[in-house]
Amino acid sequence: MRCRKCPSRAVIGIPRHHTAFCKVCLTEFVRHQVERAVDEEKMFAKADRILVAVSGGKDSLTLLDILCKLGYRADAFYVDLGIGEYSRQSKAKVERFVAARGIALHVHELKGDEGAGINELADLVHRPTCSACGTIKRYHFNRAAVEHGYDVLATGHNLDDEASRLLGNVLHWQTEYLGKQGPVLPASVEGFAKKVKPLYRLAEREIAAYAVVNRIDYIVEECPNAKGAKMLLYKDILNRLESESPGTKQAFYWGFLAKRKAEELARPSMSENDRAVLHPCANCGQPTTAVTCCYCKLMACAKHTGPMV
Ligand code: Q46
Ligand code: ZN
């Protein structure tokens, strides 16, 4: 198979775009998709300071690599979840990656700061591990971005992540989550960082190919807690649809975004109302719709239930 842009041998076929790329043209394609996402969605400008939430996996390290190569001012933030060997290895990958490129790294250690790793914390509060993990990571991502004065927090969510999340929300008619799903979440109130997903135009396999071609040393193993997760099932179903009918995943997610944008334009006051319900958490001061935020509730429950540092 030949590259569609030059005479070199192709390393990946991308049926949804009816194309195939060699190493060099794939790298160009991936970077261009990130630039398009950043520009079209007005995610950030060259002068902005960006905090990239990194896990040591291919998506977040690829995102950091691309932003640095495009000349953006990006630093890294890693949450050490305390999941044994998996956390040790992923943290080591992150540390090597940033050291080689001279990127600043902020680390939050659950065992040191919350007094327990994510598995123990989830047990204490009787919550599924990934649900507790989501609450804790969201809290620290926002807090780190705000406290360190970054203009925006970027995560490595890709097209597969977003399409599978949308499928999950639609299957369960979780319409309250649909409004919050998108490539940009604005800094609506004081203490709430702007959040962006510059990889939303790229499929997981395209990012994996970029990481391999550009010799990014990432952790290949999934988090052990991801086993059996519904999101993996939704990804698998979408991949089966994609192989039968290329472009389905993109049409599903991008179509949703386009329809929502049209609705927002017709009803601009909707986002004003959303802003009004957020106020500072009585305990930590981070924005919440309740008296105390989800993180503070979770930590209060954990302290009440079990021995903490
Ligand atoms: S890190 Fe956390 Fe994921 Fe591991 S515990 Fe679940 S949510 S699977 S992105
Ligand atoms: Zn709080």
Side-chain angles (χ1 to χ4, degrees):
M1 185 169 55
R2 291 273 144 216
C3 176
R4 296 287 169 90
K5 283 183 77 186
C6 78
S8 308
R9 188 177 63 84
V11 292
I12 185 171
I14 305 183
R16 73 190 169 102
H17 288 310
H18 309 287
T19 195
F21 292 128
C22 68
K23 290 179 181 180
V24 174
C25 295
L26 167 73
T27 299
E28 249 173 46
F29 165 79
V30 170
R31 286 188 193 154
H32 176 65
Q33 292 301 319
V34 172
E35 280 181 301
R36 249 187 100 169
V38 170
D39 292 346
E40 285 180 9
E41 297 295 327
K42 298 183 179 58
M43 292 183 177
F44 40 75
K46 282 273 153 71
D48 288 333
R49 289 180 68 230
I50 306 154
L51 186 63
V52 180
V54 290
S55 65
K58 64 183 183 320
D59 303 300
S60 53
L61 293 186
T62 289
L63 174 59
L64 190 51
D65 176 84
I66 294 173
L67 293 183
C68 290
K69 283 180 178 150
L70 290 174
Y72 287 104
R73 301 165 69 199
D75 295 338
F77 177 59
Y78 175 79
V79 176
D80 186 340
L81 297 166
I83 310 176
E85 196 45 35
Y86 168 76
S87 288
R88 266 190 292 281
Q89 278 191 29
S90 54
K91 190 177 174 196
K93 299 272 184 198
V94 168
E95 285 173 341
R96 273 202 293 274
F97 183 93
V98 296
R101 292 161 177 82
I103 298 169
L105 172 67
H106 306 271
V107 176
H108 179 86
E109 309 252 359
L110 251 65
K111 281 199 170 156
D113 293 294
E114 272 84 358
I118 192 60
N119 292 345
E120 300 90 78
L121 275 175
D123 280 351
L124 284 172
V125 298
H126 306 293
R127 286 246 311 257
T129 315
C130 290
S131 149
C133 181
T135 299
I136 290 173
K137 283 197 300 193
R138 271 193 300 279
Y139 175 85
H140 287 297
F141 288 172
N142 187 64
R143 189 171 169 172
V146 171
E147 286 188 358
H148 295 290
Y150 286 91
D151 296 290
V152 58
L153 175 96
T155 55
H157 293 97
N158 58 42
L159 178 60
D160 295 52
D161 296 323
E162 296 302 293
S164 56
R165 187 172 155 206
L166 177 61
L167 181 61
N169 285 338
V170 169
L171 286 175
H172 297 99
W173 289 117
Q174 287 165 315
T175 47
E176 70 277 20
Y177 294 141
L178 294 180
K180 291 181 193 157
Q181 197 181 347
V184 176
L185 200 60
S188 47
V189 292
E190 178 91 8
F192 201 57
K194 179 177 181 178
K195 300 180 183 76
V196 298
K197 298 171 182 172
L199 300 183
Y200 84 95
R201 300 182 61 86
L202 290 155
E204 200 166 304
R205 61 187 282 277
E206 294 152 16
I207 297 165
Y210 176 97
V212 170
V213 161
N214 288 278
R215 298 207 166 90
I216 293 175
D217 182 19
Y218 63 90
I219 183 155
V220 178
E221 292 78 36
E222 292 267 3
C223 169
N225 293 328
K227 264 191 210 105
K230 276 272 161 51
M231 283 304 151
L232 294 184
L233 172 65
Y234 298 150
K235 276 187 183 178
D236 183 46
I237 288 164
L238 286 167
N239 279 338
R240 277 191 259 164
L241 287 169
E242 184 73 20
S243 68
E244 290 295 320
S245 174
T248 302
K249 215 184 285 178
Q250 168 181 315
F252 180 50
Y253 184 57
W254 294 8
F256 159 75
L257 292 179
K259 279 200 181 302
R260 210 189 45 191
K261 213 168 243 176
E263 267 177 30
E264 275 170 13
L265 285 174
R267 284 183 295 159
S269 58
M270 233 175 63
S271 44
E272 294 285 314
N273 289 339
D274 288 348
R275 272 169 221 177
V277 294
L278 284 164
H279 54 83
C281 163
N283 187 47
C284 71
Q286 284 218 46
T288 176
T289 50
V291 178
T292 50
C293 71
C294 297
Y295 170 83
C296 288
K297 276 186 205 145
L298 188 146
M299 290 312 297
C301 177
K303 279 186 185 127
H304 180 73
T305 324
M308 305 280 292
V309 173

